Amino acid sequence: MEPKTLDQLAQHVGGKVIGDGSITIKSASTLERAGSEDITFLTNRKYTNQLKTTKAGAVVVGSQIESNSALLIADDPYYAFRQIVVLLHGHRQHKKTGISKNAFVADSAEIGKDTDIHNFVTIEENVTIGSGCVLYPGVFIGKDTTIGDGCIIYPNVVVYDKCTIGSRVILQANATIGEDGFGFATHNGCHHKIPHIGSVIIEDDVEIGSNAAIERGTIDDTIIGQGCKIGDQVVIGHGTQLGPHCLLVAQVGIAGSAKLGHHCVAGGQAGIVGHINIGDLVTIAAQGAVINDIPNGSTLMGSPAIDANKAKRAYALIEYLPEMRKSIRKLEKKLAAKEKS
Amino acid sequence: MEPKTLDQLAQHVGGKVIGDGSITIKSASTLERAGSEDITFLTNRKYTNQLKTTKAGAVVVGSQIESNSALLIADDPYYAFRQIVVLLHGHRQHKKTGISKNAFVADSAEIGKDTDIHNFVTIEENVTIGSGCVLYPGVFIGKDTTIGDGCIIYPNVVVYDKCTIGSRVILQANATIGEDGFGFATHNGCHHKIPHIGSVIIEDDVEIGSNAAIERGTIDDTIIGQGCKIGDQVVIGHGTQLGPHCLLVAQVGIAGSAKLGHHCVAGGQAGIVGHINIGDLVTIAAQGAVINDIPNGSTLMGSPAIDANKAKRAYALIEYLPEMRKSIRKLEKKLAAKEKS
Amino acid sequence: MEPKTLDQLAQHVGGKVIGDGSITIKSASTLERAGSEDITFLTNRKYTNQLKTTKAGAVVVGSQIESNSALLIADDPYYAFRQIVVLLHGHRQHKKTGISKNAFVADSAEIGKDTDIHNFVTIEENVTIGSGCVLYPGVFIGKDTTIGDGCIIYPNVVVYDKCTIGSRVILQANATIGEDGFGFATHNGCHHKIPHIGSVIIEDDVEIGSNAAIERGTIDDTIIGQGCKIGDQVVIGHGTQLGPHCLLVAQVGIAGSAKLGHHCVAGGQAGIVGHINIGDLVTIAAQGAVINDIPNGSTLMGSPAIDANKAKRAYALIEYLPEMRKSIRKLEKKLAAKEKS
């Protein structure tokens, strides 16, 4: 992409320049590595010290601060920096391959225009794929599945049959969508597989990380709401439904038939049991374990998860348990001695 | 599949109808979504309220209960419902492809009759596959591996060399079987790879979830006992042996050389260290961490895992630690004051 | 491989024989399964009892011990045993396939000599691969990626564009390298994808487990230091940097922009938050959660992780919380009664 002046960048993001706005900015970088033609950002106070040593041409910040670099002040500095990265570097470009002769595309499949289907892709019967999609090598799309426009499906992703995927969905490599859930009826000591007649619905603008697994519903559908972003190696159980714009960081696991509202956030390795209702705007810390219904706006931490403020104080005291126990014993002895005397 | 009357379904599962047994049932559904030609079930008391509002034609239950829908009473209602889902909907059908010309099948491989091998599958030297199997696109079977009859191997599953897989085994997409375990001998600060001369043996009727990873043994074999069901993204360490009919929910991790008896259950994200013996019928709650030998029939919870009943009471008290500590300090002060006076 | 005498094995590893050094040893085995022509080892005291019953021809040990089998005493018995396994069994052999006609290799890609590229592999534009590598079926290498010599890339591994992989790197099946990290700028309730212009650098002699996922950096690079061994289903967040010779056991998750020194070890399912500095030689127990900077040489345990010795005592007391609380209440009552009287 083309270099810009700092002024041009400020205009692009609706920000304000402190310093020389005429300098040329060619790329985005980190505080540590940036040079005079790079722009970087500061949103995490941890890195404030690096403002003194950075050689960056400019730094995107939220408010004025002392620095040798020029500043680009923006209301939402991380979003402004993101806009600049898109402007200077763009998103990943995908080569135009058309529909490869080395892919298998069923006669009954409908493929939209400008959709690229790479080698070794399999598109089964009655699949519908919109326009402007990219299906990288090794992708498998099961029969009767529908995919919208502008989707990017990275190598070796597997989408089972009868799934519905919206537009502008991104599936990172080796993700699995629509596999049978963990559903067995145990009878006389044997676990009998329940056919999974539900499906997976992935709404628009969702991104799903590498090696993630989204189970199809047993009899209900699994739903990933619009704009949800799901990290690597997340598992979503059968019939679980996420409201729009949830963020699930890597290795989160949600059991089946749970319902989450909109804008929920779960930190890495958090777990949520099945058959519970989690409200809107609920945040769960990393490794947290949610086992009950949760009202809107809660912030939770711990295993089992409790209110995060409580949890911060409480879990920090685990290390004092030996001391506490000793104190209790001492008190008991003293009191016993007192009672004797 | 064909619709049935409720009486026919009751007969099929050995149950009893309360209400009009002549109604037609076409499909299985949830309490929430079912209509007059659907059957649903109630096994989780959480949903009892929905019996009042459901529009289901019939509900499978364990005992009589007030409802506007007809009831099908069965001794094991979830299993009965499962039998009905199989009857009404059947398991996933697989198209007959024969052995694709776009698959690679080594000359020395033996493939049983009615086994379908899709495009882009690789079957290495000396592999034996039984009859009636399906190998979906992108599957890799390493040399000298043996697979029984009626197995379903979903897209992009990788089975390494010299593994033994029984009959009616289901491997969900992107699972890995028989990769080298995490075995290194550290010497002078470098970690030296140990050749993994052990293998993986998967017995009959096992199902393994998407993106799961079953390591081959270092010198012993990893064994997944008959009828075990293993969820998505489970890792089984090298040389670990599961007895028959275990259930491991998603994201469970078991380190190497552990031994589990029959009918063990591990909840999501539970962990088990290596080189321990876990008896029969042991249940481990989600996120539990088992670090010692465990006798038959135990139910465990917590990290580190302890008896579940104890754990329920104990872990629930973590949030009272600040209060407890304050109480102890208060007591100490009071007693000190008393002693002074 | 050829059988050896016990004396030959001892010479090979610089060890000392106690017993008959002329016996023939054909293979390595476990204490439990070994026969008279097998060698096994004892490094875990748990198995000391099996020395009395083993039928092994010889046992590698660290110091003299009573046994019916001949002993091979070595300074570092596990490493010695590893040397013997390599000598007797060797590492996995890979068939020579050359570059398959059923692979896609871009014209601009450079492939070193003796590198085997199996069927259904995709090598994109401007990729450079050294000599003596093996790329198994279904592997995808994105454009501008560089791979050194002697690498083994197992089936269905995906390496995105612009990654740098050293020599003698082993990537187990279904691993993903260089996918976009979990990077979104949230603005007005929507999560906007940040282009990931950073990359992944994997240094020499690294091994990465099955279904693991190594995210590319947002603007910085993700670095896996020389000789690191990374287990199955590990996630490394964008921009995280591991020093040389770290060991990350299965299902570990490290968030973005963390820095680890050399020779760090993380047990299964451990988690590390982003933007922290972890020193050299730091050990984190299984399921531990590290949330702060950690000095060199620390050993940590628990969630949140604290000093392991403290944690062992402290976490073991969680089960006494109900008892402790009862004691506190009793003390309060007694003291209150005393004060009244």
Side-chain angles (χ1 to χ4, degrees):
Chain A
M1 311 262 160
E2 252 175 79
K4 305 282 170 194
T5 65
L6 182 55
D7 279 335
Q8 285 174 317
L9 296 180
Q11 203 179 351
H12 182 66
V13 302
K16 189 180 133 193
V17 172
I18 309 274
D20 181 0
S22 71
I23 58 171
T24 298
I25 299 295
K26 288 185 175 164
S27 60
S29 186
T30 62
L31 280 161
E32 212 177 323
R33 305 208 305 187
S36 63
E37 296 186 321
D38 293 334
I39 190 164
T40 182
F41 71 106
L42 179 78
T43 57
N44 186 335
R45 270 179 295 172
K46 264 195 180 176
Y47 299 118
T48 308
N49 270 339
Q50 293 189 20
L51 266 194
K52 294 173 191 155
T53 53
T54 185
K55 298 201 167 73
V59 185
V60 184
V61 291
S63 58
Q64 200 165 345
I65 189 167
E66 220 182 293
S67 168
N68 292 325
S69 308
L71 298 177
L72 195 172
I73 300 178
D75 287 343
D76 184 342
Y78 193 52
Y79 179 65
F81 181 70
R82 181 263 178 195
Q83 298 296 82
I84 289 168
V85 178
V86 173
L87 188 71
L88 292 175
H89 298 275
H91 290 286
R92 183 178 284 112
Q93 295 298 305
H94 309 282
K95 69 174 173 185
K96 301 305 297 174
T97 63
I99 298 178
S100 163
K101 284 180 303 181
N102 297 317
F104 169 83
V105 180
D107 291 341
S108 55
E110 287 180 34
I111 312 292
K113 76 178 166 85
D114 297 326
T115 280
D116 294 306
I117 297 184
H118 286 230
N119 300 309
F120 320 131
V121 167
T122 299
I123 314 275
E124 293 281 23
E125 284 66 25
N126 299 317
V127 166
T128 304
I129 300 180
S131 63
C133 295
V134 188
L135 278 72
Y136 273 90
V139 165
F140 174 89
I141 310 291
K143 68 177 173 182
D144 301 319
T145 279
T146 300
I147 296 176
D149 301 323
C151 294
I152 305 167
I153 306 186
Y154 284 102
N156 293 344
V157 165
V158 174
V159 182
Y160 280 62
D161 50 303
K162 291 180 203 159
C163 295
T164 305
I165 294 180
S167 291
R168 298 171 305 281
V169 168
I170 298 174
L171 305 178
Q172 299 286 349
N174 283 319
T176 308
I177 311 294
E179 76 276 15
D180 296 336
F182 196 75
F184 303 94
T186 301
H187 188 71
N188 290 338
C190 287
H191 311 300
H192 299 268
K193 184 176 181 67
I194 301 173
H196 275 61
I197 61 175
S199 180
V200 173
I201 298 169
I202 295 181
E203 297 180 357
D204 294 343
D205 302 302
V206 167
E207 178 164 344
I208 290 179
S210 285
N211 298 81
I214 315 292
E215 298 180 1
R216 69 191 311 111
T218 314
I219 42 177
D220 222 340
D221 295 322
T222 304
I223 300 175
I224 309 296
Q226 197 217 322
C228 284
K229 309 298 180 184
I230 291 183
D232 297 336
Q233 291 176 13
V234 168
V235 174
I236 306 290
H238 46 186
T240 279
Q241 305 188 350
L242 306 186
H245 306 296
C246 292
L247 291 174
L248 307 183
V249 179
Q251 297 179 325
V252 164
I254 307 186
S257 300
K259 281 186 189 174
L260 280 75
H262 65 78
H263 290 96
C264 291
V265 177
Q269 302 180 331
I272 297 176
V273 303
H275 298 281
I276 63 172
N277 284 294
I278 291 183
D280 302 322
L281 296 156
V282 170
T283 298
I284 304 157
Q287 289 197 349
V290 181
I291 57 176
N292 296 306
D293 288 359
I294 303 294
N296 294 344
S298 309
T299 301
L300 303 163
M301 189 179 281
S303 174
I306 54 173
D307 171 76
N309 284 323
K310 268 194 191 173
K312 267 180 215 165
R313 283 192 302 270
Y315 279 84
L317 290 182
I318 289 177
E319 72 174 292
Y320 297 100
L321 274 171
E323 184 192 303
M324 285 168 67
R325 206 177 187 212
K326 215 185 279 177
S327 299
I328 292 171
R329 295 229 166 122
K330 226 181 193 171
L331 283 165
E332 287 173 333
K333 271 187 203 161
K334 274 193 189 170
L335 211 60
K338 253 199 153 45
E339 280 176 347
K340 251 190 201 163
S341 70
Chain B
M1 312 260 160
E2 251 175 81
K4 305 281 169 193
T5 65
L6 181 56
D7 279 335
Q8 286 174 317
L9 295 180
Q11 202 178 352
H12 182 66
V13 302
K16 187 181 136 194
V17 173
I18 309 274
D20 180 2
S22 71
I23 58 170
T24 299
I25 299 295
K26 289 186 174 165
S27 60
S29 187
T30 62
L31 280 162
E32 212 178 323
R33 304 207 309 189
S36 63
E37 297 186 321
D38 294 333
I39 190 164
T40 182
F41 71 106
L42 179 78
T43 57
N44 186 334
R45 270 180 296 173
K46 266 195 178 174
Y47 299 118
T48 307
N49 270 338
Q50 294 188 21
L51 265 194
K52 294 170 191 157
T53 53
T54 186
K55 301 201 164 72
V59 185
V60 184
V61 292
S63 58
Q64 198 164 348
I65 188 167
E66 219 181 294
S67 169
N68 292 324
S69 307
L71 297 178
L72 195 171
I73 299 178
D75 287 343
D76 183 342
Y78 193 51
Y79 179 65
F81 181 71
R82 182 264 177 192
Q83 298 296 81
I84 289 168
V85 178
V86 173
L87 187 72
L88 292 175
H89 298 275
H91 290 286
R92 183 178 284 112
Q93 296 298 306
H94 309 282
K95 69 175 174 185
K96 300 306 296 172
T97 64
I99 298 179
S100 163
K101 284 179 304 181
N102 297 316
F104 170 82
V105 181
D107 291 342
S108 54
E110 287 180 35
I111 313 291
K113 77 176 164 88
D114 296 327
T115 280
D116 294 306
I117 296 185
H118 286 231
N119 300 308
F120 321 131
V121 166
T122 300
I123 313 277
E124 295 279 25
E125 283 67 24
N126 299 318
V127 165
T128 303
I129 299 180
S131 62
C133 295
V134 188
L135 278 71
Y136 272 91
V139 165
F140 174 90
I141 309 292
K143 67 178 175 183
D144 301 319
T145 279
T146 299
I147 296 176
D149 301 322
C151 293
I152 306 168
I153 305 186
Y154 284 102
N156 294 343
V157 165
V158 175
V159 182
Y160 281 61
D161 49 302
K162 291 179 201 158
C163 295
T164 304
I165 294 180
S167 291
R168 298 171 305 281
V169 168
I170 298 174
L171 306 177
Q172 299 286 349
N174 283 318
T176 308
I177 311 295
E179 76 278 14
D180 296 336
F182 196 74
F184 303 95
T186 302
H187 187 70
N188 291 337
C190 286
H191 311 299
H192 299 268
K193 184 176 181 68
I194 302 174
H196 275 61
I197 61 177
S199 181
V200 173
I201 297 168
I202 295 181
E203 297 180 358
D204 293 343
D205 301 304
V206 167
E207 178 164 345
I208 290 180
S210 285
N211 298 82
I214 315 293
E215 299 180 359
R216 70 192 309 112
T218 314
I219 41 179
D220 222 339
D221 294 322
T222 304
I223 299 175
I224 310 296
Q226 196 216 323
C228 284
K229 309 297 180 184
I230 291 184
D232 297 336
Q233 293 177 11
V234 169
V235 174
I236 305 291
H238 45 187
T240 279
Q241 305 187 350
L242 306 186
H245 305 298
C246 292
L247 292 174
L248 306 184
V249 179
Q251 298 180 324
V252 164
I254 307 186
S257 300
K259 280 186 190 174
L260 280 75
H262 64 78
H263 290 94
C264 291
V265 177
Q269 302 180 329
I272 298 176
V273 303
H275 298 280
I276 63 173
N277 284 295
I278 292 183
D280 300 324
L281 296 156
V282 171
T283 298
I284 304 157
Q287 289 197 347
V290 181
I291 56 175
N292 296 305
D293 287 0
I294 303 293
N296 293 345
S298 308
T299 300
L300 303 162
M301 189 179 281
S303 173
I306 55 174
D307 171 75
N309 284 324
K310 268 194 191 173
K312 267 180 215 164
R313 282 193 303 268
Y315 278 84
L317 291 182
I318 289 177
E319 71 173 294
Y320 297 99
L321 274 171
E323 184 191 305
M324 285 169 68
R325 207 181 186 208
K326 213 184 279 175
S327 299
I328 292 171
R329 293 227 168 126
K330 226 178 190 172
L331 283 165
E332 287 174 333
K333 271 188 204 161
K334 275 192 189 170
L335 211 60
K338 252 197 153 48
E339 281 177 346
K340 248 190 206 168
S341 69
Chain C
M1 311 261 160
E2 252 176 81
K4 306 281 169 192
T5 66
L6 181 57
D7 279 334
Q8 285 174 315
L9 295 180
Q11 201 177 354
H12 182 66
V13 302
K16 189 180 134 192
V17 172
I18 310 273
D20 180 1
S22 71
I23 60 171
T24 297
I25 299 295
K26 289 186 173 164
S27 60
S29 187
T30 62
L31 280 162
E32 212 177 323
R33 305 208 306 190
S36 62
E37 297 186 320
D38 294 333
I39 190 164
T40 182
F41 72 105
L42 179 78
T43 58
N44 186 334
R45 269 178 297 171
K46 266 194 179 177
Y47 299 118
T48 307
N49 270 339
Q50 294 188 19
L51 265 193
K52 294 172 193 156
T53 53
T54 185
K55 299 200 166 75
V59 185
V60 184
V61 291
S63 57
Q64 198 163 347
I65 188 168
E66 219 182 293
S67 169
N68 292 325
S69 307
L71 297 178
L72 194 170
I73 299 178
D75 287 342
D76 184 342
Y78 193 52
Y79 179 66
F81 181 71
R82 181 263 178 194
Q83 299 295 82
I84 289 168
V85 178
V86 173
L87 187 72
L88 292 176
H89 298 274
H91 290 287
R92 183 178 284 113
Q93 295 298 306
H94 310 282
K95 69 174 173 184
K96 302 305 298 173
T97 63
I99 298 178
S100 162
K101 285 180 302 180
N102 296 317
F104 169 82
V105 181
D107 291 341
S108 54
E110 286 179 37
I111 312 292
K113 75 178 167 89
D114 296 327
T115 280
D116 294 306
I117 297 185
H118 286 231
N119 300 309
F120 320 132
V121 167
T122 300
I123 314 276
E124 294 280 24
E125 284 67 23
N126 299 316
V127 166
T128 304
I129 299 179
S131 62
C133 295
V134 187
L135 277 72
Y136 272 91
V139 165
F140 174 89
I141 310 292
K143 68 177 174 183
D144 302 319
T145 280
T146 299
I147 296 175
D149 301 322
C151 293
I152 305 167
I153 306 187
Y154 284 102
N156 294 342
V157 165
V158 175
V159 182
Y160 280 61
D161 49 304
K162 291 179 202 159
C163 295
T164 305
I165 294 179
S167 290
R168 297 171 305 281
V169 168
I170 297 174
L171 305 178
Q172 299 285 349
N174 282 318
T176 308
I177 311 294
E179 76 277 15
D180 296 336
F182 197 75
F184 303 94
T186 301
H187 187 72
N188 290 337
C190 287
H191 311 300
H192 298 268
K193 183 176 181 68
I194 301 175
H196 276 60
I197 61 176
S199 180
V200 173
I201 297 168
I202 295 180
E203 297 180 357
D204 294 343
D205 301 303
V206 167
E207 179 164 345
I208 290 180
S210 284
N211 298 81
I214 315 293
E215 299 180 359
R216 69 192 309 112
T218 314
I219 42 179
D220 222 341
D221 294 322
T222 305
I223 300 174
I224 309 297
Q226 196 215 322
C228 284
K229 309 298 182 185
I230 291 183
D232 296 336
Q233 293 177 11
V234 168
V235 174
I236 305 291
H238 46 186
T240 280
Q241 305 187 350
L242 305 186
H245 305 297
C246 292
L247 292 174
L248 307 184
V249 179
Q251 297 179 325
V252 163
I254 307 186
S257 300
K259 281 185 191 176
L260 280 75
H262 64 77
H263 289 94
C264 291
V265 177
Q269 301 181 330
I272 297 176
V273 303
H275 299 280
I276 63 172
N277 284 294
I278 291 182
D280 301 323
L281 297 155
V282 171
T283 297
I284 303 157
Q287 289 198 348
V290 181
I291 57 175
N292 297 306
D293 288 359
I294 303 294
N296 295 343
S298 308
T299 300
L300 302 163
M301 189 179 281
S303 174
I306 55 175
D307 171 76
N309 284 324
K310 268 193 191 174
K312 266 180 217 163
R313 283 193 302 268
Y315 278 84
L317 291 182
I318 289 176
E319 73 173 293
Y320 297 100
L321 274 171
E323 183 192 305
M324 285 168 67
R325 207 178 185 212
K326 215 185 275 174
S327 298
I328 292 172
R329 295 229 166 122
K330 228 180 190 170
L331 283 165
E332 287 173 334
K333 271 187 203 159
K334 274 193 188 169
L335 212 59
K338 252 202 155 41
E339 280 177 347
K340 249 189 201 164
S341 70

